[in-house]
Amino acid sequence: MKSRSHKRCKTLRQSKDKASSLQILQSSVKWHHMEHMATSLCDAYSNVVTDQAMILAMNSSFVDPLLQFESQLKIIESSFKRVFAIPSLEEVKDMGDCEDDKEDLENLYRNILNIFEDTLLILVSKDLYKLQVLKEMVMWMNEDRSYLQERAMVIISRVLSFASRKARGYASFDAPCLGVLAAELSLLCSHADSSITQQASVGMYHLLCIAKHQNADILKNKSAKYDKSGSQHLLPFASDAEFLPKALQREKTKIAQNVGETLMPSLLTDFVWSLLVRLSASDYTTALEASTILKLTLEYHAHKVTMVSKIVDFIYKQLRGNSSHIMKQAMLQVITLLTRMSPKKVIFQMMDYPVPADNTLIMMWHAAGSESSVAPHVLKTILLILKGKPGEMHDKLMDRRRFSLDATNMMPVAASQALCTLLPVCPYKKAVAQFFPQLLMALMLQLSYSSNLKLMTEDRPLYAWDALSVLLNCSGLQQVDMALKKKNCRNQFSQELFHHHGVHLVAKTLSDYKFPQFPETLHYLYKLSVEGPRGSEDSVITVIFLTELLNNFFKDPFPEEFLVLFRNWVNDSNPVVSKLSLQKIASLAPVINKIENVCSLLTSILDAFLSKDKTVVIRALVTVRRLLGKLDKVTYSSLCTRIASSYCPLMDHHNGGIRSMAIRHFGELLKDMSQYTWMLNDVVLMGLVPLILFLEDTETSVVKACKYTLEICALELNWSKSYLLKDEYYNFELVVLNICNNLLLSRGNYITDLISDTLGFLRSSRAYLRRTSVILVGYLAKLGGHLLLRDEIEVMLEAVDRVLWDEDPVIRELAKITHNIFKEVANGLNTSNVKQSLQRLFKFIYTKKLKPLYNYNQHNNLTGSPEGIKETKNDKEGLMDENFEEILGKDERFTRASEEE
């Protein structure tokens, strides 16, 4: 028993010793821990004081403000991480053994926080711009959740409270961080920790007060401006009662309404952008909160958001990545809400991505198209883009505003693809009916551009054609779409040479099926035609489409308002438009006499004779001739002089076909107006010089036209020897000689004018014109020199002198003869007046006996050698070859027979 009792006492004693040792050890560890905590607090205190001194020293320096703030921010970040890395106040107080220790630790702890807070207050008191520090603090908190957020939020809310009181004393101040800070606080207002939520809502309240004061002066100025104009009124600010902190706790709608109403557009944009970035947060709760607040804000205040293009581009890039479902839905909803308020900006940005659009972009198109209220605005924006020409290079200024890397403008192609996505959507059905004519013509234009630029490739389908097919089907024109496919219309547009036929085919098919949109389409085409100015290709398509619709729905002639359009198009800067208009006018020939302003119509066509495009001139000549064939004689006679005068300049056109047509049509007009020859005397003489000179034209068609017209002119010229124009008797020099003889007897007063007209051809680049003009002017001077004045002869001699140095040896020899003739005429003026009168009388009597002076025959002198020209011995007789003798013999026999009769 004793031994057992002794053992129990010994064991009990050992247990007590162990317990005592454990208590001593625990006391020792606690003391060391408390000592370490005290040291850490002391170090933190020391560092905070040092940091404060450095920050305040910088605050008083003359360093650049931006560099100063960056340096201060680095110090504050370091101080923040030390201050908010220490344990909570409860943990610090538990380290103390007695109340005195706990009180000392608490005081030290509070002093550290107070110094850090005082530093921020001092910074903000000097410049509210430095509220930026608070934004950075929230960012640091989000990066590392080990920092005590509640303690940091207390300081943030206190600094904001101080800043809101300070802001009342400033007339104006700059605080650009309010938007981002408001976004972060709005998320914290729904934090799981109620203490953090409370502090965040208080901070948000004071932030909105600051923003309200920041806007005060701007709003005051705007209100005064708008009240003065009496046309606009700003929405009143929410009352302070609505800004109560409690109302902002977990009330996302209140937060969104007050933030959107209070922040300026630039700050609200920062707010939206920050929330948009937080959608991609790894924390599901944070992303969901950001999504909700973002949606509510944009729903009420999307119109204030700027940098819409940048936001859309950010969303596109995020969606192309591995985005979560909630993030994807939220961002697409942002697209929808932004489209509601800023459709133009959203659409333009979404057009600026590579073609064809990828699945991400198509998904964004669907999101934009889900908002029915802005469907008309979206279509208007797309129509604006469709006016552009694909493939055009952007200038440097435009490139700076683009986010895509493509330097060429492919936005119209993207717009065509977008229509394929948007038009079938239900909200767009009403808008499609409203904009059918505009969409139809815009797609016609893009189809034309696509064929010109050959945009249809294996990896790039013809989206404009696909969009046209969708448009027709959405407009109840499925039969038209099917008919166009059967006619293989798509291939017409894929070939550059036939794309205009493709436009005609579309218009014709629509007309054949009596499409119900005809009235509004016709009205739109008429509006396009009268408004101008239009693009070159746009004008062509308008003319083709309008012509086809009028052909199918109206009988000729068209109503006057449409005829005016075609009359104006005759002289359009685009030659294709001119030819299309002339072609349609020519088809009106059978009903030309039913048109009221036919004189005005013909005059506009005559103006087209001056076009620089030869095909337009030819078409105008054909059109005039066709109309004159059906025109009544009364109207014809009133216009014949004007029309005949318009032919004369074309007789010297550089194009042989135009020369030939102008000369022949001139003759046909004289034949038509044979009963009114007295009206055309002056015009006939005006065109006589080119008619004679171009007898030696190198183109056979021109020569035949000249002979044809001169035969018609023979009656007007009292010329009885027109047989000289026959091929078997033709000799240019004899034709000139005989015409000049007749002119002297019947139109002697025109000799001077004819010489002047002929001298103009001496400078021609065509050798045959210089040769023939030298001969003609020589005969005119020889036969009518007695009618010339001395000053006139001097001018004529000067013109002939230049030809003496011509590169063509034949022309030089001819010019010498002509020059001698003018010398003789000039010498004749030196005699007395009585002698000059006798000479003139003698000239009239003796003219017919004049013999050829040049011995020129183009058909026998093709070598151009001067040996083919023989000098004359005198003015009354010359040396002639056998050809001249034969023709002159025929001429004399014909003259004698005429005299005997």
Side-chain angles (χ1 to χ4, degrees):
M1 287 291 294
K2 289 183 179 179
S3 62
R4 187 179 300 170
S5 176
H6 178 73
K7 287 181 179 180
R8 188 181 297 112
C9 291
K10 184 177 180 180
T11 301
L12 183 61
R13 196 164 45 248
Q14 288 175 349
S15 298
K16 288 181 179 180
D17 291 341
K18 287 180 180 180
S20 177
S21 298
L22 182 61
Q23 289 177 354
I24 294 171
L25 180 61
Q26 289 176 343
S27 178
S28 176
V29 170
K30 183 177 179 181
W31 182 86
H32 284 293
H33 194 183
M34 184 184 68
E35 183 180 14
H36 176 71
M37 176 62 67
T39 303
S40 298
L41 291 175
C42 289
D43 291 341
Y45 179 83
S46 175
N47 289 328
V48 169
V49 172
T50 304
D51 291 343
Q52 185 186 60
M54 293 175 63
I55 290 171
L56 296 181
M58 290 181 186
N59 220 31
S60 303
S61 67
F62 296 97
V63 181
D64 177 80
L66 182 59
L67 295 176
Q68 179 192 100
F69 178 72
E70 289 177 353
S71 301
Q72 289 175 333
L73 189 61
K74 289 179 181 179
I75 299 173
I76 292 173
E77 181 179 5
S78 174
S79 183
F80 173 87
K81 291 179 179 179
R82 281 192 293 266
V83 169
F84 295 98
I86 58 179
S88 63
L89 179 59
E90 289 72 16
E91 294 180 21
V92 171
K93 290 170 67 176
D94 288 344
M95 296 298 173
D97 290 334
C98 58
E99 291 299 325
D100 292 339
D101 291 342
K102 292 181 179 181
E103 185 177 353
D104 291 340
L105 289 173
E106 182 179 355
N107 290 333
L108 182 59
Y109 181 91
R110 293 189 182 280
N111 285 335
I112 294 172
L113 295 178
N114 290 337
I115 292 172
F116 183 83
E117 181 180 334
D118 289 343
T119 304
L120 298 181
L121 292 174
I122 294 171
L123 285 176
V124 172
S125 67
K126 296 291 185 181
D127 187 0
L128 292 181
Y129 176 86
K130 294 182 179 179
L131 285 171
Q132 181 86 7
V133 175
L134 303 184
K135 183 203 76 171
E136 298 298 331
M137 285 178 62
V138 177
M139 299 295 186
W140 299 331
M141 287 167 49
N142 293 332
E143 291 173 1
D144 189 350
R145 297 297 178 89
S146 63
Y147 299 132
L148 295 179
Q149 294 187 352
E150 189 270 338
R151 190 168 57 199
M153 285 306 304
V154 170
I155 294 178
I156 290 174
S157 63
R158 287 179 180 176
V159 174
L160 285 172
S161 175
F162 170 78
S164 66
R165 294 192 302 271
K166 195 76 176 176
R168 298 173 189 173
Y170 288 124
S172 63
F173 57 89
D174 184 23
C177 67
L178 295 183
V180 179
L181 184 56
E184 298 298 334
L185 292 178
S186 67
L187 295 174
L188 293 172
C189 283
S190 299
H191 198 275
D193 189 336
S194 59
S195 60
I196 294 177
T197 299
Q198 182 180 2
Q199 295 300 325
S201 61
V202 172
M204 177 65 83
Y205 165 76
H206 293 302
L207 183 146
L208 293 174
C209 290
I210 296 170
K212 181 179 179 181
H213 292 300
Q214 187 179 23
N215 290 339
D217 287 340
I218 299 174
L219 293 170
K220 182 178 180 181
N221 294 334
K222 287 185 177 180
S223 298
K225 178 181 178 181
Y226 294 147
D227 289 343
K228 185 176 180 180
S229 64
S231 60
Q232 298 188 42
H233 297 281
L234 293 174
L235 292 173
F237 270 109
S239 64
D240 286 344
E242 293 178 345
F243 278 176
L244 289 176
K246 289 183 179 180
L248 300 176
Q249 293 183 28
R250 307 186 189 282
E251 287 290 336
K252 301 178 184 65
T253 303
K254 285 283 186 182
I255 293 173
Q257 288 178 342
N258 285 286
V259 167
E261 185 177 343
T262 307
L263 295 183
M264 294 187 300
S266 59
L267 298 179
L268 184 61
T269 301
D270 293 339
F271 177 84
V272 170
W273 182 265
S274 298
L275 292 177
L276 193 63
V277 172
R278 296 304 294 273
L279 289 179
S280 56
S282 57
D283 184 6
Y284 174 83
T285 304
T286 301
L288 184 61
E289 292 293 333
S291 171
T292 305
I293 298 173
L294 187 58
K295 173 189 171 184
L296 292 170
T297 304
L298 293 176
E299 192 170 344
Y300 293 107
H301 301 286
H303 63 280
K304 291 178 65 177
V305 177
T306 59
M307 297 172 62
V308 173
S309 298
K310 185 178 179 181
I311 293 173
V312 174
D313 187 61
F314 175 80
I315 291 174
Y316 175 74
K317 292 175 180 177
Q318 291 296 313
L319 291 177
R320 291 191 70 184
N322 296 323
S323 55
S324 62
H325 178 72
I326 181 174
M327 174 186 171
K328 183 181 296 184
Q329 294 303 316
M331 288 189 169
L332 291 176
Q333 198 158 25
V334 170
I335 294 292
T336 302
L337 294 171
L338 288 176
T339 304
R340 180 192 298 175
M341 294 300 177
S342 304
K344 192 172 183 178
K345 294 178 181 178
V346 174
I347 299 304
F348 262 102
Q349 180 55 38
M350 286 169 49
M351 296 292 181
D352 205 20
Y353 295 107
V355 178
D358 55 18
N359 292 332
T360 299
L361 192 55
I362 292 175
M363 189 166 53
M364 293 171 66
W365 276 117
H366 280 291
S370 63
E371 189 59 47
S372 59
S373 62
V374 294
H377 300 287
V378 171
L379 290 182
K380 283 182 180 179
T381 304
I382 292 177
L383 286 169
L384 184 64
I385 295 171
L386 288 175
K387 290 181 179 180
K389 184 175 182 179
E392 285 185 333
M393 296 295 293
H394 282 277
D395 55 27
K396 294 180 180 179
L397 292 178
M398 288 298 294
D399 283 343
R400 292 176 186 173
R401 297 199 295 267
R402 291 167 57 90
F403 291 100
S404 68
L405 299 177
D406 189 5
T408 57
N409 177 24
M410 298 306 294
M411 292 176 70
V413 181
S416 299
Q417 186 182 7
L419 286 177
C420 298
T421 303
L422 293 176
L423 295 184
V425 178
C426 290
Y428 277 74
K429 287 186 176 180
K430 185 177 180 180
V432 169
Q434 179 183 352
F435 291 98
F436 176 83
Q438 293 89 328
L439 290 168
L440 177 64
M441 298 311 299
L443 291 174
M444 288 291 100
L445 178 64
Q446 288 305 311
L447 283 169
S448 180
Y449 283 149
S450 299
S451 61
N452 288 333
L453 297 172
K454 299 180 180 179
L455 292 178
M456 181 181 171
T457 60
E458 293 181 359
D459 60 339
R460 182 175 290 170
L462 201 57
Y463 288 116
W465 173 260
D466 297 337
L468 176 63
S469 179
V470 173
L471 174 65
L472 294 174
N473 282 280
C474 291
S475 304
L477 300 172
Q478 293 86 353
Q479 291 183 334
V480 175
D481 182 44
M482 293 174 62
L484 290 174
K485 290 177 180 177
K486 288 181 180 179
K487 295 176 182 179
N488 205 16
C489 184
R490 185 179 189 275
N491 287 342
Q492 302 290 337
F493 287 103
S494 63
Q495 302 177 41
E496 184 177 356
L497 295 177
F498 301 103
H499 67 276
H500 285 163
H501 179 66
V503 176
H504 168 81
L505 198 58
V506 172
K508 180 84 167 56
T509 307
L510 283 169
S511 301
D512 291 343
Y513 283 90
K514 308 296 181 184
F515 70 116
Q517 296 88 350
F518 166 73
E520 52 265 40
T521 303
L522 184 65
H523 180 268
Y524 177 69
L525 288 171
Y526 180 79
K527 181 182 177 183
L528 276 182
S529 303
V530 299
E531 281 182 351
R534 307 174 307 278
S536 177
E537 191 64 25
D538 194 7
S539 302
V540 174
I541 294 172
T542 301
V543 174
I544 294 174
F545 227 91
L546 182 60
T547 302
E548 189 57 41
L549 293 185
L550 292 174
N551 286 338
N552 284 274
F553 288 93
F554 290 93
K555 293 182 179 179
D556 290 337
F558 295 156
E560 179 63 24
E561 53 267 28
F562 293 107
L563 279 175
V564 170
L565 296 178
F566 284 91
R567 184 185 67 196
N568 295 336
W569 282 331
V570 167
N571 294 289
D572 195 89
S573 58
N574 186 345
V576 179
V577 173
S578 298
K579 287 184 286 185
L580 288 170
S581 177
L582 289 166
Q583 184 177 356
K584 180 55 194 174
I585 292 173
S587 69
L588 299 177
V591 294
I592 186 65
N593 295 312
K594 296 181 181 180
I595 298 176
E596 295 181 4
N597 297 321
V598 65
C599 294
S600 176
L601 184 64
L602 281 166
T603 302
S604 66
I605 301 174
L606 295 177
D607 292 337
F609 286 0
L610 303 176
S611 174
K612 295 180 180 179
D613 189 284
K614 64 181 181 180
T615 58
V616 173
V617 178
I618 292 173
R619 176 61 66 181
L621 285 166
V622 172
T623 302
V624 169
R625 191 62 231 154
R626 186 173 296 179
L627 295 180
L628 292 180
K630 300 293 183 179
L631 190 63
D632 67 86
K633 293 299 180 182
V634 176
T635 307
Y636 197 163
S637 62
S638 66
L639 293 170
C640 64
T641 303
R642 169 78 170 83
I643 297 171
S645 301
S646 300
Y647 285 131
C648 293
L650 296 182
M651 293 180 184
D652 186 29
H653 199 276
H654 61 84
N655 181 270
I658 293 176
R659 291 200 301 273
S660 174
M661 291 181 68
I663 293 170
R664 186 170 291 277
H665 290 183
F666 183 77
E668 290 173 355
L669 182 144
L670 296 179
K671 184 186 291 185
D672 294 342
M673 292 287 103
S674 58
Q675 298 177 355
Y676 302 90
T677 53
W678 56 271
M679 300 175 61
L680 298 168
N681 286 340
D682 293 341
V683 181
V684 170
L685 291 167
M686 185 191 306
L688 184 59
V689 170
L691 287 176
I692 296 172
L693 299 183
F694 284 101
L695 281 169
E696 294 293 292
D697 198 299
T698 55
E699 297 193 25
T700 306
S701 62
V702 179
V703 175
K704 290 181 178 179
C706 288
K707 290 180 179 181
Y708 170 80
T709 302
L710 281 173
E711 287 180 0
I712 296 174
C713 293
L715 180 62
E716 176 64 23
L717 297 172
N718 295 323
W719 183 29
S720 59
K721 301 177 182 180
S722 58
Y723 68 88
L724 291 174
L725 295 171
K726 303 296 182 182
D727 290 342
E728 60 268 26
Y729 303 117
Y730 174 74
N731 179 277
F732 176 74
E733 187 173 356
L734 288 182
V735 171
V736 172
L737 175 59
N738 281 276
I739 291 176
C740 289
N741 279 329
N742 282 279
L743 284 173
L744 184 61
L745 293 174
S746 59
R747 301 285 190 275
N749 55 325
Y750 284 94
I751 293 292
T752 304
D753 294 334
L754 292 172
I755 293 175
S756 298
D757 293 343
T758 309
L759 291 175
F761 289 92
L762 292 176
R763 297 182 179 181
S764 174
S765 60
R766 288 166 279 186
Y768 72 87
L769 281 180
R770 297 199 301 275
R771 284 196 297 269
T772 53
S773 59
V774 165
I775 294 172
L776 178 58
V777 79
Y779 275 109
L780 289 172
K782 186 68 177 178
L783 294 172
H786 59 284
L787 302 174
L788 300 176
L789 300 175
R790 184 182 302 277
D791 293 340
E792 294 173 339
I793 293 174
E794 290 179 359
V795 174
M796 295 172 186
L797 266 173
E798 183 179 349
V800 175
D801 284 342
R802 287 191 290 268
V803 193
L804 292 172
W805 305 96
D806 196 276
E807 60 184 8
D808 190 325
V810 175
I811 296 175
R812 289 200 299 269
E813 293 300 324
L814 294 172
K816 289 178 182 178
I817 299 173
T818 302
H819 190 269
N820 291 333
I821 293 172
F822 274 104
K823 283 290 187 181
E824 289 181 9
V825 174
N827 292 334
L829 294 178
N830 295 328
T831 60
S832 63
N833 292 335
V834 176
K835 190 173 182 180
Q836 288 182 30
S837 299
L838 292 174
Q839 286 178 345
R840 290 173 184 172
L841 180 61
F842 177 76
K843 290 282 186 181
F844 279 112
I845 297 173
Y846 197 66
T847 299
K848 287 187 178 182
K849 295 182 180 180
L850 185 63
K851 300 294 179 67
L853 304 174
Y854 295 89
N855 222 13
Y856 170 80
N857 187 352
Q858 170 65 7
H859 300 289
N860 296 332
N861 275 331
L862 297 178
T863 60
S865 171
E867 295 178 0
I869 299 178
K870 300 180 180 180
E871 296 181 355
T872 57
K873 289 183 177 181
N874 49 54
D875 295 335
K876 295 182 180 180
E877 62 183 30
L879 297 175
M880 299 174 289
D881 58 15
E882 294 179 358
N883 187 37
F884 275 100
E885 291 287 357
E886 181 182 352
I887 296 175
L888 283 174
K890 172 67 178 176
D891 183 23
E892 291 173 359
R893 290 194 298 272
F894 186 84
T895 303
R896 284 196 300 270
S898 299
E899 290 174 353
E900 288 174 0
E901 291 178 2

